[in-house]
Structures are given as C-alpha cells and as structure tokens.
Coordinates of all heavy atoms in Angstrom, one line a residue:
S1 N 21.0 -10.5 6.6 CA 20.5 -10.7 7.9 C 19.3 -9.9 8.3 O 19.1 -8.8 7.7 CB 21.6 -10.7 8.9 OG 21.9 -9.3 9.2
A2 N 18.6 -10.2 9.4 CA 17.5 -9.4 9.7 C 17.9 -8.0 10.2 O 17.2 -7.0 9.9 CB 16.8 -10.1 11.0
S3 N 19.1 -8.0 10.8 CA 19.6 -6.7 11.2 C 20.0 -5.7 10.0 O 19.7 -4.5 10.0 CB 20.9 -6.8 12.0 OG 21.5 -5.6 12.4
D4 N 20.5 -6.3 9.0 CA 20.7 -5.5 7.7 C 19.5 -5.1 7.1 O 19.4 -3.9 6.7 CB 21.5 -6.4 6.8 CG 23.0 -6.8 7.1 OD1 23.5 -6.1 8.0 OD2 23.5 -7.8 6.8
I5 N 18.5 -5.9 7.1 CA 17.1 -5.5 6.5 C 16.5 -4.4 7.3 O 16.1 -3.4 6.8 CB 16.2 -6.7 6.4 CG1 16.8 -7.7 5.3 CG2 14.7 -6.3 6.1 CD1 16.0 -9.0 5.4
H6 N 16.7 -4.5 8.6 CA 16.2 -3.4 9.5 C 16.9 -2.1 9.3 O 16.3 -1.1 9.2 CB 16.3 -3.9 11.0 CG 16.0 -2.8 12.0 ND1 14.6 -2.7 12.5 CD2 16.7 -1.9 12.6 CE1 14.6 -1.7 13.2 NE2 15.8 -1.1 13.4
Q7 N 18.2 -2.2 9.3 CA 19.0 -1.0 9.0 C 18.7 -0.3 7.7 O 18.7 0.9 7.5 CB 20.5 -1.3 9.2 CG 20.9 -1.5 10.7 CD 22.3 -1.7 10.7 OE1 22.9 -2.4 10.0 NE2 22.9 -1.4 11.9
A8 N 18.5 -1.1 6.7 CA 18.3 -0.6 5.3 C 16.9 0.1 5.2 O 16.6 1.0 4.5 CB 18.4 -1.7 4.3
L9 N 15.8 -0.6 5.8 CA 14.5 -0.1 5.6 C 13.8 0.8 6.6 O 13.1 1.5 6.4 CB 13.6 -1.3 5.5 CG 13.8 -2.2 4.3 CD1 12.8 -3.5 4.4 CD2 13.6 -1.5 3.0
Q10 N 14.3 0.8 8.0 CA 13.7 1.5 9.0 C 13.7 3.0 8.8 O 12.7 3.6 9.0 CB 14.3 1.1 10.4 CG 13.6 1.5 11.5 CD 12.2 0.9 11.6 OE1 11.9 -0.1 11.2 NE2 11.4 1.6 12.4
P11 N 14.8 3.6 8.3 CA 14.7 5.1 8.2 C 13.6 5.5 7.2 O 12.9 6.5 7.4 CB 16.1 5.4 7.5 CG 17.0 4.3 8.0 CD 16.1 3.1 8.0
S12 N 13.4 4.8 6.1 CA 12.3 5.1 5.2 C 10.9 4.8 5.8 O 10.0 5.5 5.6 CB 12.4 4.4 3.8 OG 13.7 4.8 3.2
F13 N 10.8 3.6 6.5 CA 9.6 3.2 6.9 C 9.0 4.1 8.1 O 7.9 4.3 8.3 CB 9.7 1.8 7.5 CG 9.6 0.7 6.5 CD1 9.5 1.0 5.1 CD2 9.4 -0.6 6.7 CE1 9.5 0.1 4.1 CE2 9.3 -1.6 5.9 CZ 9.4 -1.3 4.5
L14 N 10.0 4.8 8.8 CA 9.6 5.7 9.9 C 9.5 7.1 9.5 O 9.0 7.9 10.2 CB 10.7 5.6 11.1 CG 10.8 4.4 11.9 CD1 11.9 4.4 13.0 CD2 9.4 4.2 12.6
N15 N 9.8 7.4 8.2 CA 9.8 8.9 7.7 C 8.3 9.1 7.4 O 7.7 8.6 6.3 CB 10.7 8.9 6.6 CG 10.8 10.3 6.0 OD1 9.9 11.2 6.3 ND2 11.8 10.7 5.3
P16 N 7.6 10.0 8.1 CA 6.2 10.4 7.9 C 6.1 11.1 6.6 O 4.9 11.2 6.0 CB 5.8 11.2 9.0 CG 7.0 11.7 9.6 CD 8.2 10.8 9.3
S17 N 7.2 11.7 5.9 CA 6.9 12.4 4.7 C 7.0 11.5 3.5 O 6.7 11.9 2.4 CB 8.1 13.5 4.5 OG 9.3 12.8 4.4
I18 N 7.2 10.2 3.7 CA 7.2 9.2 2.7 C 5.9 8.3 2.8 O 5.8 7.6 3.8 CB 8.5 8.3 2.6 CG1 9.7 9.1 2.5 CG2 8.3 7.2 1.6 CD1 11.0 8.3 2.7
V19 N 5.0 8.3 1.9 CA 3.9 7.6 2.0 C 4.2 6.1 1.5 O 4.8 5.9 0.4 CB 2.7 8.1 1.1 CG1 1.4 7.1 1.2 CG2 2.4 9.4 1.5
K20 N 3.9 5.1 2.4 CA 4.1 3.7 2.0 C 2.9 3.1 1.5 O 1.8 3.2 2.2 CB 4.6 3.0 3.2 CG 6.1 3.1 3.5 CD 6.6 4.4 3.8 CE 6.4 5.0 5.2 NZ 6.8 6.3 5.6
V21 N 2.8 2.7 0.3 CA 1.6 2.2 -0.3 C 1.8 0.7 -0.4 O 2.6 0.0 -1.1 CB 1.4 2.8 -1.7 CG1 0.1 2.1 -2.3 CG2 1.2 4.2 -1.6
L22 N 0.9 -0.1 0.2 CA 0.9 -1.6 0.2 C -0.6 -2.0 -0.1 O -1.5 -1.2 0.0 CB 1.2 -2.1 1.6 CG 2.6 -1.8 2.0 CD1 2.9 -2.3 3.5 CD2 3.7 -2.5 1.2
H23 N -0.7 -3.3 -0.5 CA -2.0 -3.8 -0.7 C -2.2 -5.1 0.2 O -1.4 -5.9 0.1 CB -2.3 -4.2 -2.2 CG -3.6 -4.8 -2.4 ND1 -4.7 -3.9 -2.7 CD2 -4.1 -6.0 -2.4 CE1 -5.7 -4.7 -2.8 NE2 -5.4 -5.9 -2.6
G24 N -3.2 -5.1 1.0 CA -3.4 -6.2 2.0 C -2.3 -6.2 3.0 O -1.7 -7.3 3.2
A25 N -2.0 -5.2 3.6 CA -0.9 -5.1 4.6 C -1.1 -5.7 5.9 O -0.5 -5.7 6.7 CB -0.4 -3.6 4.8
D26 N -2.4 -6.2 6.1 CA -2.8 -6.7 7.4 C -1.9 -7.7 7.9 O -1.7 -7.8 9.1 CB -4.3 -7.3 7.3 CG -5.3 -6.2 7.0 OD1 -5.0 -5.1 7.1 OD2 -6.4 -6.5 6.5
S27 N -1.4 -8.6 7.0 CA -0.5 -9.7 7.5 C 1.0 -9.2 7.3 O 1.9 -9.7 8.1 CB -0.7 -10.9 6.8 OG -0.5 -10.8 5.4
D28 N 1.3 -8.3 6.4 CA 2.6 -7.9 6.2 C 3.2 -7.1 7.5 O 4.3 -7.3 7.8 CB 2.7 -7.0 5.0 CG 2.4 -7.7 3.7 OD1 2.5 -8.9 3.7 OD2 1.9 -7.0 2.7
I29 N 2.4 -6.2 8.0 CA 2.9 -5.4 9.1 C 3.3 -6.2 10.3 O 4.4 -6.0 10.8 CB 1.8 -4.3 9.5 CG1 1.7 -3.4 8.2 CG2 2.3 -3.5 10.7 CD1 2.9 -2.7 7.7
P30 N 2.4 -7.2 10.7 CA 2.9 -8.0 11.9 C 4.2 -8.8 11.8 O 5.0 -8.8 12.6 CB 1.7 -8.9 12.2 CG 0.5 -8.1 11.6 CD 1.1 -7.5 10.4
W31 N 4.4 -9.3 10.5 CA 5.5 -10.1 10.3 C 6.8 -9.2 10.1 O 7.9 -9.6 10.5 CB 5.5 -11.1 9.3 CG 5.5 -10.8 7.8 CD1 4.4 -10.7 7.0 CD2 6.5 -10.5 7.0 NE1 4.7 -10.4 5.7 CE2 6.0 -10.2 5.7 CE3 7.9 -10.2 7.2 CZ2 6.8 -9.8 4.7 CZ3 8.7 -9.9 6.1 CH2 8.2 -9.6 4.9
L32 N 6.6 -8.0 9.6 CA 7.7 -7.0 9.5 C 8.2 -6.7 10.9 O 9.4 -6.5 11.2 CB 7.4 -5.7 8.7 CG 7.3 -6.0 7.2 CD1 6.6 -4.7 6.5 CD2 8.7 -6.2 6.6
Q33 N 7.2 -6.5 11.8 CA 7.5 -6.1 13.2 C 8.2 -7.3 13.9 O 9.1 -7.1 14.6 CB 6.3 -5.7 13.9 CG 5.7 -4.3 13.4 CD 4.3 -3.9 14.0 OE1 3.8 -4.7 14.8 NE2 3.9 -2.7 13.7
R34 N 7.5 -8.4 13.8 CA 8.0 -9.7 14.5 C 9.4 -10.0 14.0 O 10.4 -10.3 14.8 CB 7.1 -10.8 14.3 CG 7.4 -12.1 15.1 CD 6.6 -13.3 14.6 NE 6.9 -13.6 13.2 CZ 6.0 -13.8 12.3 NH1 4.7 -13.7 12.5 NH2 6.3 -14.1 11.1
D35 N 9.6 -10.2 12.7 CA 10.8 -10.8 12.1 C 11.9 -9.8 12.0 O 13.1 -10.2 12.0 CB 10.6 -11.4 10.8 CG 9.6 -12.7 10.8 OD1 9.3 -13.1 11.9 OD2 9.1 -13.0 9.8
F36 N 11.6 -8.4 11.7 CA 12.7 -7.5 11.5 C 12.7 -6.3 12.4 O 13.4 -5.4 12.3 CB 12.6 -7.1 10.0 CG 12.7 -8.2 9.0 CD1 11.6 -8.6 8.3 CD2 13.9 -8.9 8.7 CE1 11.6 -9.7 7.4 CE2 13.9 -9.8 7.8 CZ 12.8 -10.3 7.2
G37 N 11.7 -6.2 13.3 CA 11.6 -5.1 14.2 C 11.4 -3.8 13.4 O 11.7 -2.7 13.9
L38 N 10.7 -3.9 12.3 CA 10.3 -2.7 11.5 C 8.9 -2.2 11.8 O 8.0 -3.0 11.9 CB 10.4 -3.1 10.0 CG 11.8 -3.4 9.4 CD1 11.7 -4.1 8.0 CD2 12.5 -2.2 9.4
Y39 N 8.8 -1.0 11.9 CA 7.6 -0.3 12.0 C 7.3 0.7 10.8 O 8.3 1.2 10.3 CB 7.5 0.5 13.4 CG 7.6 -0.6 14.6 CD1 8.8 -0.9 14.9 CD2 6.4 -0.9 15.0 CE1 8.8 -1.8 16.1 CE2 6.5 -1.9 16.1 CZ 7.7 -2.3 16.6 OH 7.7 -3.2 17.6
V40 N 6.1 0.8 10.5 CA 5.7 1.6 9.2 C 4.9 2.8 9.7 O 3.8 2.6 10.4 CB 5.0 0.8 8.3 CG1 4.5 1.5 7.1 CG2 5.8 -0.5 7.9
V41 N 5.3 4.0 9.3 CA 4.6 5.2 9.5 C 4.0 5.7 8.3 O 4.6 5.8 7.2 CB 5.5 6.3 10.2 CG1 4.8 7.6 10.4 CG2 6.0 5.8 11.6
H42 N 2.8 6.2 8.2 CA 2.1 6.9 7.1 C 2.0 5.8 5.9 O 2.5 5.9 4.9 CB 2.9 8.1 6.5 CG 2.1 9.0 5.8 ND1 2.5 10.2 5.3 CD2 0.8 8.9 5.3 CE1 1.6 10.8 4.5 NE2 0.6 10.0 4.6
L43 N 1.1 4.8 6.3 CA 0.8 3.6 5.4 C -0.5 3.9 4.7 O -1.5 4.2 5.3 CB 0.8 2.4 6.2 CG 0.3 1.2 5.5 CD1 1.3 0.7 4.4 CD2 0.1 0.0 6.5
W44 N -0.6 3.6 3.4 CA -1.8 3.7 2.6 C -2.0 2.2 2.2 O -1.2 1.7 1.4 CB -1.8 4.6 1.5 CG -3.0 4.6 0.6 CD1 -3.1 4.0 -0.6 CD2 -4.2 5.2 0.8 NE1 -4.4 4.1 -1.1 CE2 -5.1 5.0 -0.2 CE3 -4.7 6.0 1.9 CZ2 -6.4 5.4 -0.3 CZ3 -6.0 6.6 1.8 CH2 -6.8 6.3 0.7
D45 N -3.0 1.6 2.5 CA -3.4 0.2 2.2 C -4.6 0.2 1.2 O -5.6 0.6 1.5 CB -3.7 -0.7 3.4 CG -3.9 -2.1 3.1 OD1 -4.4 -2.5 1.9 OD2 -3.5 -3.0 3.9
T46 N -4.3 -0.1 -0.2 CA -5.2 -0.1 -1.2 C -6.3 -1.1 -0.9 O -7.5 -0.8 -1.3 CB -4.6 -0.2 -2.5 OG1 -3.9 -1.5 -2.5 CG2 -3.8 0.9 -2.9
G47 N -6.1 -2.2 -0.3 CA -7.0 -3.2 0.0 C -8.1 -2.7 1.1 O -9.2 -2.8 0.9
R48 N -7.5 -2.2 2.1 CA -8.4 -1.6 3.1 C -9.3 -0.4 2.6 O -10.4 -0.2 2.9 CB -7.6 -1.1 4.3 CG -7.2 -2.2 5.3 CD -6.6 -1.6 6.5 NE -6.3 -2.7 7.4 CZ -6.8 -2.7 8.6 NH1 -7.5 -1.7 9.1 NH2 -6.5 -3.7 9.4
A49 N -8.6 0.4 1.7 CA -9.4 1.5 1.1 C -10.6 0.9 0.3 O -11.7 1.5 0.4 CB -8.5 2.3 0.3
A50 N -10.4 -0.2 -0.4 CA -11.3 -0.8 -1.3 C -12.5 -1.3 -0.4 O -13.7 -1.1 -0.7 CB -10.8 -1.8 -2.2
R51 N -12.1 -1.9 0.6 CA -13.1 -2.5 1.7 C -14.0 -1.4 2.3 O -15.2 -1.4 2.4 CB -12.5 -3.4 2.6 CG -12.0 -4.7 2.1 CD -11.7 -5.8 3.1 NE -10.5 -5.3 3.9 CZ -9.3 -5.5 3.6 NH1 -8.9 -6.0 2.5 NH2 -8.3 -5.1 4.4
A52 N -13.3 -0.2 2.7 CA -13.9 0.9 3.3 C -14.9 1.5 2.4 O -15.9 2.1 2.8 CB -12.9 1.9 3.8
L53 N -14.6 1.5 1.1 CA -15.4 2.1 0.1 C -16.5 1.1 -0.5 O -17.3 1.4 -1.4 CB -14.6 2.7 -1.0 CG -13.7 3.8 -0.7 CD1 -12.8 4.1 -1.8 CD2 -14.6 5.1 -0.4
N54 N -16.5 0.0 0.1 CA -17.5 -1.2 -0.2 C -17.6 -1.4 -1.7 O -18.5 -1.6 -2.4 CB -19.0 -0.7 0.2 CG -19.0 -0.6 1.7 OD1 -18.6 -1.4 2.4 ND2 -19.7 0.5 2.1
F55 N -16.3 -1.6 -2.3 CA -16.2 -2.1 -3.6 C -16.6 -3.5 -3.7 O -16.5 -4.2 -2.7 CB -14.7 -1.9 -4.1 CG -14.3 -0.4 -4.4 CD1 -13.0 -0.2 -4.6 CD2 -15.2 0.6 -4.4 CE1 -12.5 1.1 -4.8 CE2 -14.8 1.9 -4.6 CZ -13.4 2.1 -4.9
P56 N -17.0 -3.9 -4.9 CA -17.4 -5.3 -5.1 C -16.2 -6.4 -4.8 O -16.5 -7.4 -4.5 CB -17.8 -5.5 -6.6 CG -17.9 -4.1 -7.0 CD -17.2 -3.1 -6.1
S57 N -15.0 -5.9 -5.0 CA -13.8 -6.7 -4.8 C -12.7 -5.7 -4.1 O -12.6 -4.6 -4.6 CB -13.4 -7.4 -5.9 OG -12.1 -8.1 -5.6
A58 N -12.0 -6.3 -3.3 CA -10.8 -5.5 -2.8 C -9.4 -6.1 -3.3 O -8.4 -5.7 -2.9 CB -10.7 -5.6 -1.2
S59 N -9.5 -6.9 -4.4 CA -8.3 -7.6 -4.9 C -7.6 -6.5 -5.6 O -8.1 -5.5 -6.3 CB -8.7 -8.7 -5.8 OG -9.2 -8.3 -7.1
Y60 N -6.3 -6.6 -5.6 CA -5.4 -5.7 -6.4 C -5.7 -5.7 -7.9 O -5.8 -4.7 -8.6 CB -4.0 -6.1 -6.1 CG -3.0 -5.0 -6.6 CD1 -2.9 -3.7 -6.0 CD2 -2.0 -5.3 -7.6 CE1 -2.0 -2.8 -6.4 CE2 -1.1 -4.4 -8.0 CZ -1.1 -3.1 -7.4 OH -0.2 -2.2 -7.8
A61 N -5.9 -7.0 -8.5 CA -6.3 -7.0 -9.9 C -7.6 -6.3 -10.2 O -7.6 -5.6 -11.2 CB -6.5 -8.5 -10.2
Y62 N -8.6 -6.3 -9.3 CA -9.7 -5.6 -9.5 C -9.5 -4.1 -9.6 O -10.0 -3.4 -10.5 CB -10.9 -5.9 -8.5 CG -12.1 -5.1 -8.6 CD1 -13.1 -5.4 -9.4 CD2 -12.2 -3.9 -7.7 CE1 -14.2 -4.4 -9.4 CE2 -13.3 -3.2 -7.7 CZ -14.3 -3.4 -8.6 OH -15.4 -2.6 -8.7
L63 N -8.8 -3.7 -8.5 CA -8.5 -2.2 -8.5 C -7.7 -1.7 -9.7 O -8.1 -0.7 -10.3 CB -7.8 -2.0 -7.3 CG -8.5 -2.1 -5.9 CD1 -7.6 -1.9 -4.7 CD2 -9.7 -1.3 -5.9
L64 N -6.8 -2.5 -10.2 CA -6.1 -2.1 -11.4 C -7.0 -2.1 -12.6 O -6.9 -1.1 -13.5 CB -4.8 -3.1 -11.6 CG -3.7 -3.0 -10.7 CD1 -2.7 -4.1 -11.1 CD2 -3.0 -1.6 -10.8
Q65 N -7.8 -3.1 -12.7 CA -8.7 -3.1 -13.8 C -9.7 -2.0 -13.8 O -10.0 -1.3 -14.9 CB -9.5 -4.4 -13.9 CG -10.4 -4.6 -15.1 CD -11.1 -5.9 -15.0 OE1 -11.2 -6.6 -14.0 NE2 -11.5 -6.4 -16.2
R66 N -10.1 -1.6 -12.6 CA -11.2 -0.5 -12.4 C -10.6 0.9 -12.7 O -11.2 1.7 -13.3 CB -11.8 -0.6 -11.2 CG -12.8 0.5 -10.8 CD -13.5 0.4 -9.5 NE -14.3 1.5 -9.2 CZ -15.4 1.6 -8.5 NH1 -15.8 0.4 -7.8 NH2 -16.1 2.7 -8.3
Y67 N -9.3 1.2 -12.2 CA -8.8 2.5 -12.2 C -7.7 2.8 -13.1 O -7.4 3.9 -13.4 CB -8.4 2.8 -10.9 CG -9.5 3.0 -9.9 CD1 -9.8 2.1 -8.9 CD2 -10.3 4.2 -10.0 CE1 -10.9 2.3 -8.0 CE2 -11.3 4.5 -9.1 CZ -11.7 3.5 -8.2 OH -12.7 3.6 -7.3
C68 N -7.1 1.8 -13.7 CA -5.8 2.0 -14.4 C -6.1 1.6 -15.9 O -6.5 0.5 -16.3 CB -4.7 1.2 -13.8 SG -4.4 1.7 -12.1
L69 N -5.6 2.5 -16.8 CA -5.7 2.3 -18.2 C -4.5 1.9 -18.9 O -4.4 1.1 -19.8 CB -6.1 3.5 -18.9 CG -7.4 4.2 -18.4 CD1 -7.8 5.5 -19.1 CD2 -8.6 3.2 -18.6
S70 N -3.3 2.2 -18.2 CA -2.0 1.8 -18.8 C -1.7 0.3 -18.4 O -2.1 -0.1 -17.4 CB -1.0 2.7 -18.2 OG 0.3 2.3 -18.6
H71 N -0.8 -0.3 -19.2 CA -0.3 -1.6 -19.0 C 1.1 -1.5 -18.4 O 1.6 -2.6 -18.0 CB -0.2 -2.4 -20.3 CG -1.6 -2.7 -20.9 ND1 -2.5 -3.6 -20.3 CD2 -2.2 -2.2 -22.0 CE1 -3.6 -3.6 -21.0 NE2 -3.4 -2.8 -22.1
N72 N 1.5 -0.3 -18.1 CA 2.8 -0.1 -17.4 C 2.6 -0.2 -15.8 O 1.8 0.6 -15.3 CB 3.4 1.2 -17.8 CG 4.7 1.6 -17.1 OD1 4.7 1.6 -15.9 ND2 5.7 1.8 -17.8
K73 N 3.2 -1.1 -15.2 CA 3.0 -1.4 -13.8 C 3.2 -0.1 -12.9 O 2.4 0.2 -12.1 CB 3.8 -2.6 -13.3 CG 3.4 -2.9 -11.8 CD 4.1 -4.1 -11.3 CE 3.8 -4.5 -9.9 NZ 3.2 -3.5 -9.0
T74 N 4.3 0.5 -13.2 CA 4.6 1.8 -12.3 C 3.5 2.7 -12.5 O 3.0 3.3 -11.5 CB 5.9 2.3 -12.7 OG1 7.0 1.4 -12.6 CG2 6.3 3.6 -11.9
T75 N 3.1 3.0 -13.8 CA 2.1 3.9 -14.0 C 0.7 3.5 -13.3 O 0.0 4.2 -12.8 CB 1.8 4.2 -15.5 OG1 3.1 4.7 -16.1 CG2 0.8 5.1 -15.8
N76 N 0.4 2.1 -13.5 CA -0.7 1.6 -12.9 C -0.8 1.9 -11.4 O -1.8 2.2 -10.8 CB -0.8 0.1 -13.1 CG -1.2 -0.2 -14.5 OD1 -1.8 0.6 -15.2 ND2 -1.0 -1.4 -14.9
D77 N 0.3 1.6 -10.7 CA 0.4 1.8 -9.2 C 0.1 3.2 -8.9 O -0.7 3.5 -8.0 CB 1.7 1.3 -8.7 CG 1.8 -0.1 -8.7 OD1 0.9 -0.9 -8.9 OD2 3.0 -0.6 -8.6
E78 N 0.7 4.2 -9.5 CA 0.5 5.6 -9.3 C -0.9 6.0 -9.5 O -1.5 6.8 -8.9 CB 1.4 6.4 -10.1 CG 2.9 6.3 -9.8 CD 3.9 6.8 -10.8 OE1 3.4 7.4 -11.9 OE2 5.1 6.8 -10.6
N79 N -1.5 5.6 -10.7 CA -2.9 5.9 -11.1 C -3.9 5.2 -10.1 O -4.8 5.9 -9.7 CB -3.3 5.3 -12.4 CG -2.6 6.1 -13.6 OD1 -2.2 7.2 -13.4 ND2 -2.6 5.5 -14.8
L80 N -3.6 4.0 -9.6 CA -4.5 3.4 -8.5 C -4.6 4.2 -7.3 O -5.8 4.4 -6.9 CB -3.9 2.0 -8.3 CG -4.6 1.2 -7.2 CD1 -6.0 1.0 -7.6 CD2 -3.8 -0.1 -6.9
V81 N -3.5 4.7 -6.7 CA -3.5 5.4 -5.5 C -4.3 6.7 -5.8 O -5.2 7.1 -5.0 CB -2.2 5.6 -4.9 CG1 -2.3 6.5 -3.7 CG2 -1.6 4.3 -4.5
A82 N -4.0 7.4 -6.8 CA -4.5 8.8 -7.1 C -6.1 8.6 -7.3 O -6.9 9.4 -6.8 CB -3.9 9.4 -8.3
N83 N -6.4 7.6 -8.1 CA -7.9 7.4 -8.4 C -8.7 6.9 -7.2 O -9.8 7.4 -7.0 CB -8.0 6.4 -9.5 CG -7.7 7.0 -10.9 OD1 -7.9 8.2 -11.1 ND2 -7.0 6.2 -11.7
I84 N -8.1 6.1 -6.3 CA -8.8 5.8 -5.1 C -9.0 6.9 -4.2 O -10.2 7.1 -3.6 CB -8.1 4.6 -4.3 CG1 -8.3 3.3 -5.2 CG2 -8.7 4.3 -3.0 CD1 -7.4 2.1 -4.6
V85 N -7.9 7.8 -4.0 CA -8.1 8.9 -3.2 C -9.1 9.9 -3.8 O -10.0 10.4 -3.0 CB -6.7 9.6 -3.0 CG1 -6.9 11.0 -2.4 CG2 -5.7 8.8 -2.3
Q86 N -9.1 10.1 -5.0 CA -10.1 11.0 -5.7 C -11.4 10.4 -5.5 O -12.4 11.2 -5.2 CB -9.8 11.0 -7.2 CG -10.7 12.0 -7.8 CD -10.3 12.2 -9.3 OE1 -9.7 11.3 -9.9 NE2 -10.9 13.2 -10.0
N87 N -11.8 9.1 -5.7 CA -13.1 8.5 -5.5 C -13.5 8.7 -4.0 O -14.7 9.0 -3.9 CB -12.9 7.1 -5.8 CG -14.4 6.4 -5.8 OD1 -15.2 6.9 -6.5 ND2 -14.5 5.4 -5.0
K88 N -12.6 8.6 -3.1 CA -13.0 8.8 -1.7 C -13.4 10.2 -1.3 O -14.3 10.5 -0.6 CB -11.9 8.3 -0.8 CG -12.2 8.4 0.7 CD -11.2 7.7 1.6 CE -11.7 7.8 3.0 NZ -10.8 7.2 3.9
Q89 N -12.8 11.2 -2.0 CA -13.0 12.6 -1.7 C -14.5 13.0 -2.4 O -14.9 14.0 -2.0 CB -11.9 13.5 -2.3 CG -10.7 13.3 -1.5 CD -9.5 14.0 -2.1 OE1 -9.5 14.5 -3.2 NE2 -8.4 14.0 -1.4
Q90 N -14.9 12.3 -3.3 CA -16.1 12.7 -4.0 C -17.4 12.3 -3.2 O -17.4 11.6 -2.4 CB -16.2 12.0 -5.4 CG -15.2 12.5 -6.3 CD -15.2 11.7 -7.7 OE1 -15.9 10.8 -7.8 NE2 -14.5 12.2 -8.6

C-alpha cells in the first residue's frame, strides 16, 4: 500500500547524510510527493547536472557512454556521479 511504501522509504529519503542520485527526477519527485507523501532531501539529479553543464545530451545513456568505462551497472553509476562532480569542479 501507499502507506507501506511511505513508511519504508521516508526515513532514507529525509536523511540528509544519504545522497539520493536520480536521473531526470523532474517528474519523479512530484508523483512521489503526490502518491506517497514522500519528500527527498539531498538529491543529485544527473540529468539536471548534464543540462547545467551544457552537455550535448542529458540522456543517461550519453552520460554512461561519456564517463563510464565498465560494463558493470553498479560501477557505472558510481563512476557517473564521481565524474560529473569532478567535471563541474574543473
């Protein structure tokens, strides 16, 4: 139920020491709030980061191809965030 989902996710979503990484969260956040009463604190949106940095594409596939060398999805996700942050700091 929506209440069960809320109870399971809300503690992590509200914890500012946990970075939540999403891609294209513009539509996800409103429906999480509307349908489940969930709020997200400390969110990193890779799509917004790509647009802010004026990349040729903000697609997740493009970012993986540009920044990640491994074919392992977990490693790709970790590399993607680290590399985008590093690129922004340069």
